Each structure stands twice: as C-alpha cells, then as structure tokens.
C-alpha cells in the first residue's frame, strides 16, 4: 500500500498513472515493500515480522504460526496449560510439571547417563535461544536427506548373494517361540534384506506403496531369514505363507522375492490336494491313468489330440462325482479303467440328483482323455445317452433392492449395480474391466460395443473421481480396484463390491434379461445380440413368469 497522506488503498503497481516502483524500506532498505514505508519483515503487522514464541520465549517465530515455534505447537496439542513449578509461568506443562523453556534448559545441561534435573538447571534462571534451532536438522532438511539417501540406494547395485543349491534336511521340526523370532528379526543383520532392498525400493516407488507397507515387507524378509532352515537357499513360497502367524506381510513379500529372484514357488493348488486325497490307496494302473487325466484337465495338452485347460472348479466337481465310483471299482478288484464296461458305468452312477450329473460328466471326460491317449481300448460312455440337466427358472428381483444398490453411498457398488442392471454384465466381466475398455461413452466387450446409459455415465464419473482421489498413483489397469489391489496390477476378487449389497450379479443380470424379453415380446434373437447369449441360454428366459408392472 502506498505511503501517502491522505491514505490511499492502492499499491504502487495499481496507482492511477502507474505502475510505479515501490520505495525501499525506511528501516532496512529492503525492496520487499509492505506498508507505511516498511518492508514485510520490519512492519509489525506483516506476516513475516519476527517475534518471540509465547510458549518458550524463543526469538524467530511469525504471526502466521500464532507466535509459536514448531515444538511449542506440538506441546500445546499434547500437554495441558498450567503453572510451571520452576518459573511460575502459565504455559503448556508436561508430566514433570515443567514448561517448554525450563525443560529445554534442563535438557541442554544434562549430563550423559543421568536423568534431567529440572530444579538444579533452572535455579539461576533460563538461557533464551533462537526458535526451531534446538535440533540438528529441520523437517524439510530431513526429508531432503531421506530423498537423497533413497536415490543413492536405488543407484547402488545390490550386494552379491550366493544362492546354494542344496538344503539341510531336518531330523525333527520344532516351532520356534514367536517372541524370540520377532526379537531376533529386529536386532539381527540381514544380508537377504540388503540384497532385496533395491528391488523393494524400485517396486514400491513404481506402485506407490506406503511407508507402512514397505516397512512391513522389510520386516517380513528379516523374519524369513531368521526362520530359514538352510542359510543361503531360496525362500519357499510355502514358508512365506506360514510366516503369517508372526504378523508377516505375505502377498507383497512374495512379489519382492520374485522380483529379486530368490523365490521358490512350491505352492500347491487346493484342487491338487483334493485330488491326491481321493486317489490315495488306489491301484497303480488306476492312479497313473487318473494322474494323466488330471494333468490334461489342469494344464491342457498341446499335442494331438489338443485340449484346452479346464477351470479348477470344473475339475473339483468332476472329482467330487467320480471319487466314490472309482474307489468302489478298486474295492471290487479292478486294476485299470480298461476293464470298465458300459454296464459297470451305468450300475455305478447314482440314480438322480446333482451327483449323477457330476459323476456322468466326469466319467465322460475321463474316458475321453484315456481313449485319446490310447490308455484304454474303447470308451464305455460313448454309447450312453446324456442325462438331461435340470434348468432353473429365472425370477425377477424386488425393484426396491435395485434402487438401493443404484443409490449406494459407495461409488464402486453403485457403478457395479448400474453396469449389471442396465447392460447385464456378468460378475467375471465386471472383474476384468479395464480403464481402456470405456472410451467416448462406449463399453467394448470382446466383439460387442455397448453405448453406456445415462445413469451409468453419471455413476462412472463419480467412481473415477473417487478412484483418482483415493489412489492417484496406482498402476492397476483395471476399472475396479480396492485397498488390496491398488498397489498391484491384479483384478479384484469375485465378491467385490457385492458383499455390502443385498443383490448378486447373477440375479441382477437375470432381472435385466427378463425385462428385455418382456419388453420385446419374447424376441430371442434380440437377446442374443444385446447380451451375447447363445440360443439355448436365451430360450431359458422365455419360460420365466411375466414380471408384474410396477405400481405407483
């Protein structure tokens, strides 16, 4: 503001006829003019005018910080205001009954190895000091030093680690004490952590991991080295999973060990354990043939006859239906499936129910694989007519449940319900959606392009804003992410975000298709084009009862 008489509420740059150069400060000659001929450090009303701290009387604080130094601001938030026992001032008092000034004086004259003597240190008065200079470095300098240290760690090559190719066999296994393991992991030096440190820093910086997650992974690596039976060997994935009992961070640690090249993945699928449990005790011929079928179903076959791998749930259901049958055949004295006839298959199948379907489909798959690999002479299930499956009738949903899902306060839940309720997406399609699948208001699924409805666009905008605010630096390409998948690139689980809703994606999809079949008068071809259904699947909805019209 210009220093004129009478008063002018304009700065020199805005004066009529200007701009004019501001005069220097009358007190110090600084060009940083503020008001009344003084600069922003000499004028008592300026934000940078220095003064004394009201808590510890240290000089060098500003009006913008309420005339408090950094440490006194913390003291005001954690300690009550009262009278100091040593200087009788009214200020924030700690548990010893001392204010910040008396405490700093006692701490300054404290002898190494002795407790703070507040009475002796403040008997003859207090020594004042400059604000925010009691410690070695400031917060900004600490952050700069930490950043430079991290950059040096990233540029420094990882120390060499010799991986041994043998493992020490154990005479017996005795679980160690949890407290001893944790204490040793905190105090013991870890060559494995030094070797994995570069991979940890690079991976965490690329995926924007939090400091807490980085520290958790580092602590888990130290735990694994303490628990390692053979020092220098690769870490088994099963050992990482077992370290969860010590509070370890399992999934992120597996990623770091894999990136560093020290992970031995010995994990066994649940269906493999299930298969091994139900084939134990069978004759050698049967066991070998079942193992061939299981490997072909799980991994597929690239040799003639070629075969695609099947889903693990399909394999599990086949084993569930066939296990009692092949165990009964083994008890009857059969040594191989080549001895089984069509009469034996029909006699062994259950009379009715879902178990008959599982057993029949499993036996057809088993004998087809064995015949293709020339392990049996004939396929006994080839002459059998398939049992018809029981089809369910889709039913409409309560409209209020759909409204509640669309108006959910959770942005992810509202968007998922809208995608299924308006465009009949399936649960796996919701999981696999990526950000690049939606462009210009259109959703691309395989060979279909779906123009998004208006309510879906509004909920998509709200969810994308929530996603950008919550995880601004995530590299996960999927549309739906959660707290667990944000620092990674894998999709969400099958239950996300349906656990908090009163509807399921299957029931919601059936309701949408039923609405379309009733609106078009039973046009099956339109269902196939709109929702990517086959003819048999579309005909299932034509037998459903008509949905009643909504009442006002």
């Amino acid at each position: 503001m210009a220093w004129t008489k009478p008063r002018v509420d304009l700065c020199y740059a805005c004066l009529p006829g200007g701009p004019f150069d501001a005069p220097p400060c009358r007190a110090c000659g600084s060009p940083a003019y503020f008001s009344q001929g003084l600069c922003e450090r000499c004028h008592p009303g300026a934000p940078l005018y220095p003064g004394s701290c009201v808590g510890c009387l240290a000089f060098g604080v500003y009006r913008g910080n309420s005339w408090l130094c950094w440490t006194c601001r913390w003291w005001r938030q954690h300690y009550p205001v009262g009278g100091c026992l040593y200087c009788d001032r009214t200020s924030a008092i700690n548990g010893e009954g001392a204010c910040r000034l008396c405490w700093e004086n006692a701490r300054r004259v404290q002898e190494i190895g002795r407790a703070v003597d507040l009475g002796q240190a403040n008997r003859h008065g207090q020594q004042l000091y400059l604000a925010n200079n009691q410690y070695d470095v400031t917060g900004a300098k600490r952050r700069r030093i930490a950043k430079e240290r991290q950059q040096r760690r990233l540029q420094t090559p990882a120390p060499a680690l010799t991986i041994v190719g043998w493992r020490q066999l154990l005479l017996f296994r005795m679980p160690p004490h949890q407290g001893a393991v944790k204490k040793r992991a905190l105090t013991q030096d870890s060559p494995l952590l030094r070797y994995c440190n570069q991979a940890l820093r690079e991976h965490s910086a690329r995926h924007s991991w939090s400091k807490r997650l980085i520290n958790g992974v580092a602590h888990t690596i130290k735990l694994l080295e303490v628990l390692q039976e053979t020092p220098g060997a690769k870490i088994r994935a099963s050992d990482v999973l077992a370290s969860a009992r010590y509070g370890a961070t399992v999934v992120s640690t597996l990623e770091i060990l894999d990136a560093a090249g020290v992970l031995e993945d010995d994990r066994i699928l649940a269906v493999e354990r299930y298969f091994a449990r139900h084939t134990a005790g069978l004759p050698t011929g049967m066991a070998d043939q079942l193992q061939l079928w299981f490997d072909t179903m799980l991994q597929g076959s690239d040799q003639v006859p070629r075969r695609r791998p099947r889903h693990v749930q399909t394999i599990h259901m086949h084993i569930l239906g066939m296990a009692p049958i092949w165990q009964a055949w083994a008890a009857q004295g059969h040594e191989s499936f080549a001895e089984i006839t069509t009469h034996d298959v029909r006699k062994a199948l259950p009379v009715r129910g879902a178990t008959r379907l599982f057993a029949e489909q499993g036996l057809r798959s088993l004998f087809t694989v064995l015949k293709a690999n020339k392990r049996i002479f004939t396929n006994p299930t080839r002459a059998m007519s398939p049992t018809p499956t029981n089809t369910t009738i889709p039913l409409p949903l309560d409209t209020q449940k759909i409204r509640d899902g669309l108006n959910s306060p959770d942005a992810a839940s509202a968007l998922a319900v809208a995608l299924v309720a308006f465009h009949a997406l399936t649960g796996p399609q919701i999981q696999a959606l990526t950000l690049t699948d939606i462009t210009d208001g259109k959703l691309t699924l395989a060979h279909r392009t779906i123009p998004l409805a208006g309510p879906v666009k509004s909920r998509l905008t709200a969810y994308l804003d929530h996603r950008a605010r919550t995880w601004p630096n995530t590299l996960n390409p999927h549309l739906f992410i959660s707290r667990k998948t944000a620092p990674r690139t894998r999709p969400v689980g099958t239950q996300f975000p349906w656990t908090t809703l009163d509807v399921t994606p299957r029931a919601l999809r059936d309701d949408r298709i039923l609405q379309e079949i009733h609106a078009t008068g039973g046009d099956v071809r339109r269902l196939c084009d709109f929702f990517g259904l086959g003819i048999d699947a579309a005909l299932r909805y034509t037998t459903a009862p008509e949905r009643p019209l909504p009442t006002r």
Side-chain angles (χ1 to χ4, degrees):
M1 187 180 300
W3 183 42
T4 58
K5 292 183 181 180
R7 176 188 178 97
V8 178
D9 293 332
L10 294 172
C11 63
Y12 282 94
C14 299
L15 279 174
F20 300 102
D21 295 333
C25 176
R26 292 184 294 110
C28 65
S30 172
Y33 182 81
F34 179 73
S35 180
Q36 298 178 349
L38 298 176
C39 65
E40 56 186 7
R41 291 189 178 274
C42 296
H43 194 283
L48 296 182
Y49 182 76
S52 297
C53 176
V54 296
C56 63
L57 307 181
F59 183 79
V61 296
Y62 303 111
R63 183 189 304 274
N65 293 331
S66 302
W67 302 112
L68 288 171
C69 64
W70 297 336
T71 311
C72 285
R73 291 171 63 184
W74 186 89
W75 274 58
R76 287 290 182 94
Q77 296 173 358
H78 292 78
Y79 295 137
V81 178
C84 179
L85 299 179
Y86 305 97
C87 66
D88 297 330
R89 287 192 317 115
T90 300
S91 182
I93 305 302
N94 64 0
E96 302 292 335
C99 65
R100 169 82 200 295
L101 177 60
C102 295
W103 181 262
E104 286 296 332
N105 274 276
R107 192 178 65 85
R108 187 180 298 108
V109 299
Q110 173 190 4
E111 297 182 8
I112 300 177
R114 293 182 176 273
V116 176
D117 190 352
L118 291 165
Q120 180 66 25
N122 294 281
R123 179 179 299 178
H124 304 291
Q126 294 88 8
Q127 174 64 48
L128 299 182
Y129 46 84
L130 296 178
N132 305 324
N133 283 330
Q134 295 82 13
Y135 305 102
D136 297 334
V137 292
T138 62
K141 190 173 182 180
R142 282 198 303 270
R143 289 191 294 270
R144 186 178 69 253
I145 293 175
K147 186 176 181 180
E148 294 175 353
R149 189 179 302 157
Q150 181 179 2
Q151 291 177 353
R152 287 196 299 269
R153 281 197 297 262
L154 292 176
Q155 296 173 358
T156 304
L161 181 68
T162 304
I163 303 296
V164 300
W166 52 272
R167 290 188 180 275
Q168 178 65 45
L169 299 179
L170 296 181
L171 181 61
F172 60 91
R173 183 182 297 274
M174 184 174 65
H177 189 268
Q178 292 189 5
V181 170
K182 292 181 179 180
K183 183 177 180 180
R184 187 176 178 185
L186 290 174
T187 58
Q188 178 176 290
D189 183 42
S190 176
L192 179 61
L193 179 59
R194 290 200 304 269
Y195 179 78
C196 299
N197 188 54
Q198 184 175 0
L200 173 60
R201 300 299 173 182
E202 293 177 352
H203 192 85
S204 61
R206 185 166 58 253
H207 293 273
S208 302
W209 283 7
S210 63
K211 188 67 176 178
R212 179 179 180 181
L213 182 57
I214 297 174
N215 293 337
V217 172
H219 179 66
T220 304
I221 294 176
K222 297 179 71 175
L223 274 175
L224 293 172
E225 190 167 13
V226 171
L227 297 171
Q228 196 174 20
E229 301 164 356
T230 305
K234 288 188 175 183
I235 305 296
R236 293 193 184 101
S238 57
D239 295 338
V240 182
L241 297 176
S243 65
R245 70 185 68 176
Y246 301 100
T249 306
V250 175
V251 179
S252 302
T253 304
L254 288 172
E255 297 178 2
I256 298 304
L257 294 176
D258 188 25
V262 293
L263 178 66
E264 181 181 335
D265 196 348
D266 61 341
R267 287 173 287 185
I268 300 176
L269 296 176
V271 69
E272 294 179 338
R273 294 193 296 268
Y274 187 74
F275 174 77
R277 185 166 65 251
H278 285 82
T279 55
L282 292 178
T284 305
M286 275 191 173
D288 294 342
Q289 292 170 345
L290 286 172
Q291 187 65 47
L292 172 63
W293 167 81
F294 180 78
D295 294 340
T296 305
M297 292 287 288
L298 185 63
Q299 303 172 5
S301 176
D302 55 356
Q303 299 177 357
V304 179
R306 295 181 177 88
R307 191 179 181 91
R308 292 181 179 179
R310 299 303 193 265
H311 197 274
V312 291
Q313 188 174 2
T314 302
I315 305 173
H316 180 88
M317 301 310 295
H318 287 178
I319 298 173
L320 176 65
M322 290 190 298
I325 296 177
W326 68 49
Q327 290 173 358
W329 286 341
Q332 294 172 7
H334 293 287
E335 299 288 336
S336 172
F337 287 102
E339 305 172 6
I340 305 302
T341 62
T342 304
H343 175 72
D344 295 332
V345 174
R346 288 177 176 173
K347 184 179 179 181
L349 286 175
V351 178
R352 63 177 65 86
T355 54
R356 178 181 177 89
L357 295 177
F358 298 155
E360 182 179 343
Q361 294 172 1
L363 290 175
R364 289 181 183 277
S365 173
L366 171 64
F367 287 114
T368 301
V369 171
L370 295 181
K371 181 64 171 65
N373 288 272
K374 300 180 181 180
R375 295 297 185 93
I376 58 177
F377 301 104
T378 59
N379 185 352
T381 62
R382 184 175 182 181
M384 296 173 52
S385 58
T387 302
T389 59
N390 297 326
T391 58
T392 58
I393 299 177
L395 298 175
L397 274 178
D398 184 8
T399 309
Q400 185 59 39
K401 293 183 178 181
I402 303 177
R403 289 197 186 103
D404 294 341
L406 290 173
N407 299 325
S408 174
D410 184 18
S413 300
L415 176 59
V417 172
L419 287 171
V420 181
F422 284 90
H423 304 296
L425 269 65
T426 63
Q429 288 174 344
I430 292 290
Q431 287 181 260
L433 280 180
T434 61
L435 295 172
T436 56
D437 290 337
I438 301 176
T439 55
D440 298 332
K442 296 180 181 179
L443 173 62
T444 303
L445 285 178
H447 303 292
R448 292 191 298 153
T449 301
I450 306 172
L452 295 179
V456 179
K457 290 182 181 179
S458 60
R459 287 163 177 78
L460 175 63
T461 303
Y463 171 72
L464 290 179
D465 293 341
H466 164 74
R467 188 182 191 272
R469 288 193 307 268
T470 310
W471 303 286
N473 300 321
T474 180
L475 294 182
N476 196 319
H478 295 88
L479 176 64
F480 288 96
I481 59 176
S482 63
R483 179 180 59 84
K484 294 183 178 180
T485 62
R488 302 172 183 86
T489 57
R490 65 181 185 181
V492 294
T494 57
Q495 300 299 323
F496 182 87
W498 306 99
T499 54
T500 59
L501 298 172
D502 200 16
V503 293
T504 61
R506 180 183 294 274
L508 201 58
R509 172 181 166 86
D510 289 345
D511 182 87
R512 173 66 182 93
I513 299 177
L514 284 176
Q515 182 185 14
E516 189 67 28
I517 199 71
H518 294 150
T520 58
D523 191 347
V524 177
R525 179 57 185 270
R526 188 169 179 176
L527 288 186
C528 298
D529 294 339
F530 273 19
F531 307 117
L533 297 175
I535 297 296
D536 295 336
L539 289 175
R540 171 174 170 263
Y541 294 92
T542 59
T543 60
E546 185 175 356
R547 179 175 182 172
L549 295 176
T551 57
R552 290 186 179 275

